[in-house]
Amino acid sequence: MEKLVITGGVPLKGNVDISGAKNSVLAILAGTLLVNGECRIENIPDISDVSVILSMIECFGAKIGRPDKHTIVVDAKDITYAVPDYELVRRIRGSYYLIGALLSRFRKAEIAMPGGCNFGSRPIDQHIKGFTALGAAVDDSRGVIKATAENLTGVSVYLDKVSVGATINIMLAACKAEGVTVIENAAREPHIVDMANFLNAMGANIKGAGTNRVKIKGVTDMKGGTYQIIPDQIEAGTFMIAAAATGGDVLIRNVIPKHMESLTAKLIEAGAKVTELDDAIRVEGTGKLKATNVQTMPYPGFPTDLQPQMVALLTVAEGLSVMVEGVWDNRFQYTDELIRMGAKINAAGKMATIQSVPTLYGAPVKATDLRGGAAVVIAGLMAEGTTEVSNITLIDRGYEKFEEKLRALGAKIERVEE
Ligand code: UD1
């Protein structure tokens, strides 16, 4: 087992390049199963979740090439139906995209209930609502989702809850359905637009992604092509917060500044200086951080996946901050780790109050989940003394070369064997 050892107190300085989006790549790789030809996907992040989804799509007999670490070529022309191994499915939340993809390709799918980070209840009723509306029969009893359809027919589906996963999954199932499908109250996250652009590049006909009404006109065939994944909004946000939290000066390159607007606004409110460039953002610490209230929401609101990192910053932002988690029921487990480092946080239900302390102190802590792990690393960078972060395979799920990128910015951080 490996851990990260961090000696805090060094302001981050320099340039960092952001990798391709984790949440896009999982959906896009599942989407290659729809395509009757070669898909070349560029700007793939080198993270462990990618290996998991690749192993799953290999089990259908897809041919996979990796000309370099950041490019994957998938040829799913000759795939055959299979039920992916539960051991793989339970490792990532994104496995649920295989339901939409297999339904589209084979008119049937059988996937165990997916795993992923534990933020309380994570229902998939809206995915099922969409599949059923398209004409599939879905049975989700006994921890396995079994879906079959004679035909999939375009329909209008209203999502009762704005769901990223349901929006993408219904897009997948509808790509080759007969007629037109409309998703109302669709999620608008950047990776939904990315997914629609990918599917369109491969031959689909999707309009309106990025608005709350997505229209999918079924096509008979998707032939393949080349596609480049967008930069990871959450990795970019993590580095922006780390720069501000350490009082540093970092140019975060290969980002889409528009995707960062909610975070940019909150960092400015908290006292950082943020400058937007064409495809980069510069974040400078300006001395004292000020308390700020934040509420997470679906895009374009403040992303829930940056909530833990922002709370790490707020631990030393002078005054009383309030963080309201507007997406997940239970996403404050990591706060116990920050409390070990001297933070004063009171988390209950969907709200945490954060009373500032003058400084955090290094301590042995663990990553409780992917983004909670990033939060304790940021806290370690801010703290006086040495922090040891264990359970870091969770961080490796979603951050490419996290400690190497931080080290290049001057952080004192090492990966060592426990
Ligand atoms: C995705 C991201 C995750 C992020 C989340 C919200 C991936 C692989 N994961 O997760 O990192 O935190 O978006 O931005 O992309 N809900 C229902 N019924 C459903 C589906 C969702 O009630 O059928 C609820 C959930 O419990 C949650 C909210 O809707 O409260 C949002 O969930 P959703 O957007 O679906 O999250 P994921 O796609 O699972």
Side-chain angles (χ1 to χ4, degrees):
M1 294 282 266
E2 291 176 322
K3 65 182 174 184
L4 292 174
V5 179
I6 306 162
T7 307
V10 182
L12 299 183
K13 291 212 163 114
N15 304 328
V16 62
D17 291 315
I18 297 307
S19 301
K22 162 190 170 280
N23 286 343
S24 290
V25 74
L26 300 180
I28 285 174
L29 287 173
T32 62
L33 296 177
L34 265 62
V35 181
N36 201 13
E38 208 174 80
C39 307
R40 181 185 167 90
I41 303 149
E42 298 170 351
N43 203 28
I44 297 267
D46 190 18
I47 53 176
S48 65
D49 271 11
V50 167
S51 326
V52 179
I53 195 106
L54 277 181
S55 308
M56 279 189 255
I57 64 175
E58 245 169 358
C59 84
F60 305 106
K63 292 192 198 90
I64 297 171
R66 203 151 190 181
D68 62 69
K69 235 177 11 205
H70 296 111
T71 308
I72 292 179
V73 181
V74 180
D75 185 347
K77 191 155 55 95
D78 300 320
I79 58 171
T80 49
Y81 178 74
V83 177
D85 186 13
Y86 175 61
E87 276 313 301
L88 286 172
V89 172
R90 74 182 178 85
R91 284 171 59 187
I92 56 170
R93 188 78 191 156
S95 349
Y96 54 37
Y97 292 133
L98 293 176
I99 310 170
L102 293 178
L103 253 185
S104 175
R105 183 74 188 247
F106 297 108
R107 300 292 190 254
K108 61 180 174 178
E110 183 174 333
I111 305 286
M113 279 300 266
C117 296
N118 177 14
F119 307 141
S121 135
R122 296 187 77 168
I124 61 161
D125 57 302
Q126 299 304 305
H127 304 230
I128 294 174
K129 179 179 179 180
F131 300 145
T132 310
L134 281 159
V138 185
D139 174 10
D140 63 343
S141 52
R142 299 165 191 248
V144 175
I145 299 133
K146 286 188 189 172
T148 50
E150 289 282 313
N151 281 306
L152 294 169
T153 310
V155 68
S156 186
V157 187
Y158 175 84
L159 296 183
D160 301 312
K161 183 112 195 206
V162 178
S163 160
V164 174
T167 304
I168 291 181
N169 232 340
I170 298 167
M171 269 164 43
L172 280 166
C175 266
K176 294 203 272 182
E178 267 169 41
V180 177
T181 301
V182 178
I183 310 173
E184 305 278 6
N185 199 26
R188 293 178 282 164
E189 266 65 5
H191 50 290
I192 289 179
V193 181
D194 206 24
M195 181 62 176
N197 288 341
F198 159 75
L199 290 168
N200 285 342
M202 301 303 131
N205 184 345
I206 303 175
K207 295 202 167 83
T211 74
N212 56 10
R213 189 168 196 268
V214 180
K215 196 168 159 188
I216 307 121
K217 194 166 175 200
V219 295
T220 45
D221 202 12
M222 292 168 66
K223 293 262 185 262
T226 296
Y227 188 73
Q228 193 177 74
I229 292 177
I230 56 165
D232 195 301
Q233 175 205 23
I234 306 302
E235 187 197 14
T238 302
F239 278 96
M240 287 171 69
I241 294 170
T246 58
D249 181 356
V250 178
L251 185 68
I252 296 126
R253 300 188 298 205
N254 186 34
V255 299
I256 300 176
K258 176 141 190 58
H259 294 168
M260 310 313 305
E261 276 171 357
S262 57
L263 174 63
T264 297
K266 283 292 155 185
L267 288 180
I268 291 171
E269 239 178 85
K273 182 173 173 200
V274 183
T275 315
E276 286 185 5
L277 306 156
D278 282 349
D279 60 355
I281 293 186
R282 183 175 176 190
V283 178
E284 296 163 83
T286 53
K288 276 226 173 309
L289 290 164
K290 296 179 289 211
T292 307
N293 298 333
V294 183
Q295 170 156 7
T296 71
M297 298 178 204
Y299 188 83
F302 191 95
T304 172
D305 289 354
L306 289 174
Q307 182 257 94
Q309 302 89 315
M310 190 68 185
V311 168
L313 174 145
L314 293 174
T315 57
V316 298
E318 202 174 317
L320 181 74
S321 299
V322 178
M323 174 63 81
V324 175
E325 172 52 54
V327 177
W328 299 111
D329 291 336
N330 183 14
R331 199 173 189 172
F332 286 118
Q333 295 101 319
Y334 69 90
T335 55
D336 284 342
E337 306 304 307
L338 296 181
I339 290 167
R340 282 173 203 278
M341 301 176 72
K344 283 197 182 147
I345 305 174
N346 194 343
K350 298 182 96 175
M351 190 167 94
T353 51
I354 306 122
Q355 178 61 57
S356 63
V357 291
T359 187
L360 296 176
Y361 294 97
V365 289
K366 64 172 188 289
T368 53
D369 58 83
L370 167 57
R371 308 302 173 184
V376 291
V377 169
I378 291 173
L381 298 170
M382 296 156 67
E384 241 180 76
T386 303
T387 298
E388 295 188 358
V389 184
S390 58
N391 221 14
I392 59 172
T393 49
L394 290 175
I395 300 177
D396 294 334
R397 285 189 43 210
Y399 288 93
E400 175 171 347
K401 295 196 173 75
F402 196 31
E403 77 276 8
E404 282 180 40
K405 289 187 184 185
L406 287 168
R407 213 164 31 238
L409 295 173
K412 292 190 180 147
I413 178 166
E414 296 293 337
R415 182 182 286 255
V416 300
E417 275 296 324
E418 276 197 90

